[in-house]
Amino acid sequence: MGAFGDDEVRRLRAQAQGLLGPGGRTVADAVRLAAGLQAQDAKACRLQVRARSRGLTAGDVDAACAARPPAVVRTWLMRGTLHAVAASDVRWLTALLGPRAADMYRGRRARLGLDDDLLARALPALERVLSGRALQRDALVERLAEEGVALDPRGQAPAHLLLYAAARGVVCRGPEAAADAATYVLAEEWLAGVADAGPAGDEALAELAVRHAASYGPVSAADLARWSGLPMTAARRGQAAAAGRLAPVGSPRGPLLAPAGAASRVPPPGAVRMTGHFDPYLLGYRDRDLMLPPAIAPRIATGGGFLMPCVLRDGAVVATWRHERRGSGLAVRVESLTGDPDRALSEGIDAEVADIGRFLGLPAAWEWTTGL
């Protein structure tokens, strides 16, 4: 595929994510463009879809997650965190990543009293209490107590039990309840009617490597390991197993990989896109300095895994933003991190704010402030 400079690599990465170009036609398309979206916050997940699609609405995202069979499913996968993925990818990704996700928190579970005996009793208890229904966490904890599995509802034990059960393929997230409250369902009941033809073993590692490169490339093995949560040995093995499907890319940061046959034409400069909280664009790499300059990184990655909403120009973070309901509309405040906007950036933000309003069904207006 040749060699590219830093600016070109950054634009290629933003294009791979669906943040440049036409984006996905469906919610599942948008989810696949990122190889999975962060789903710990429902509002943020909806905006991640908007940034990778054209013409969809927030209601379309909810419908894709609540449909039977679902088009998109939320469960704990990469790095042991909650992701939205295409329903057809849940089983093979859980088989590949679930054991690692479960092992990551073994010590924490022990400190919470989730020992092997309790876990062995909890999984069949979850199957009994969730059979044929979706439950919110408080109701689920109450039903488990009736089954002899007592958890402190005020602590983290319920969350870690659900993560463990999801990693074992027993549960996943169901449809949102009122006020975006989470519900939980039996994974195989929820996936009924979803075809199961995913890869296994090294073929699954190879597929994961190709998906990561297609969504974040050009990338390194270290990028794949950081994004997936797998060890470097597994990341290298996956890329090696996918050697015929990946091609080397030269860059000032060393050799990288992208899908073989992928369009090598770098998108032109000037594209502006606004991403929401926890957007995965910045989570696919060991080193994200190319997209997020170190001088402004603390304003975006504020600790505890929290990522602020970003304004991207050619894939680089130039500002942060926030929105709130104000009367019958949406007020968007854009805060500069790199200086005052020029005309092209202002016009790009105009278009993005209008589209955010369309997506959320509210008229939107924005104002610019400086954070320097």
Side-chain angles (χ1 to χ4, degrees), residues 27 49 55-65 358-359:
V27 175
V49 171
L56 296 176
T57 67
D60 292 328
V61 182
D62 294 340
C65 294
R358 177 205 58 78
F359 181 82

Side-chain angles (χ1 to χ4, degrees), residues 235-269:
R236 292 192 182 103
R237 194 164 81 248
Q239 289 187 339
R245 301 165 65 189
L246 298 175
V249 174
S251 82
R253 295 167 183 258
L256 301 171
L257 291 172
S264 59
R265 184 174 65 85
V266 179

Side-chain angles (χ1 to χ4, degrees), residues 51-347:
R52 292 164 176 82
S53 65
R54 301 295 185 273
L56 296 176
T57 67
D60 292 328
V61 182
D62 294 340
C65 294
R68 298 301 306 272
V72 172
V73 171
R74 292 160 294 193
T75 192
W76 287 262
L77 294 166
M78 287 71 78
R79 304 179 306 282
T81 58
L82 190 66
H83 277 76
V85 298
S88 57
D89 291 329
V90 171
R91 293 186 180 96
W92 74 268
L93 283 174
T94 299
L96 176 64
L97 301 172
R100 179 75 173 178
D103 191 59
M104 284 173 59
Y105 296 102
R106 182 181 298 274
R108 178 61 175 153
R109 288 197 303 272
R111 291 190 293 274
L112 291 168
L114 299 174
D115 58 22
D116 290 344
D117 175 68
L118 187 144
L119 292 173
R121 291 185 291 111
L123 294 187
L126 281 166
E127 291 178 342
R128 290 191 295 272
V129 302
L130 285 174
S131 179
R133 63 174 64 91
L135 293 177
Q136 294 183 42
R137 194 166 80 173
D138 287 349
L140 182 55
V141 170
E142 291 178 6
R143 295 288 187 93
L144 286 174
E146 294 170 1
E147 295 283 336
V149 179
L151 303 171
D152 181 358
R154 299 165 298 177
Q156 290 297 306
H160 278 269
L161 173 60
L162 288 164
L163 188 158
Y164 175 78
R168 294 287 301 273
V170 175
V171 305
C172 64
R173 285 275 293 272
E176 300 294 339
D180 287 335
T183 70
Y184 303 90
V185 295
L186 291 180
E188 282 306 315
E189 284 189 355
W190 195 243
L191 290 168
V194 176
D196 182 13
D202 277 1
E203 289 185 5
L205 272 178
E207 181 64 21
L208 189 73
V210 171
R211 298 280 185 102
H212 176 251
S215 295
Y216 293 90
V219 293
S220 67
D223 295 331
L224 173 57
R226 174 62 63 88
W227 171 77
S228 67
L230 292 172
M232 274 292 292
T233 52
R236 292 192 182 103
R237 194 164 81 248
Q239 289 187 339
R245 301 165 65 189
L246 298 175
V249 174
S251 82
R253 295 167 183 258
L256 301 171
L257 291 172
S264 59
R265 184 174 65 85
V266 179
V272 176
R273 206 69 174 143
M274 292 171 66
T275 59
H277 284 103
F278 307 110
D279 194 274
Y281 175 59
L282 297 177
L283 296 173
Y285 310 97
R286 180 186 65 178
D287 178 355
R288 55 192 175 209
D289 290 357
L290 188 60
M291 291 77 67
L292 180 60
I296 62 174
R299 301 289 299 277
I300 300 298
T302 57
F306 195 86
L307 290 174
M308 292 291 290
C310 297
V311 178
L312 305 175
R313 186 176 198 173
D314 296 327
V317 177
V318 297
T320 185
W321 64 280
R322 63 187 65 202
H323 68 283
E324 62 180 6
R325 285 290 299 269
R326 188 174 295 171
S328 60
L330 196 70
V332 177
R333 179 181 179 185
V334 180
E335 187 170 311
S336 167
L337 299 175
T338 58
D340 290 335
D342 57 26
R343 180 176 177 180
L345 179 57
S346 292
E347 290 176 349

Side-chain angles (χ1 to χ4, degrees), residues 9-50:
V9 168
R10 184 172 54 243
R11 297 206 299 275
L12 284 169
R13 287 175 169 179
Q15 178 176 253
Q17 276 278 301
L19 297 171
L20 303 181
R25 296 180 61 186
T26 68
V27 175
D29 289 342
V31 167
R32 289 189 187 98
L33 282 169
L37 299 177
Q38 294 287 117
Q40 63 267 59
D41 181 282
K43 293 182 176 66
C45 189
R46 294 182 189 112
L47 288 174
Q48 292 168 37
V49 171
R50 185 215 67 89

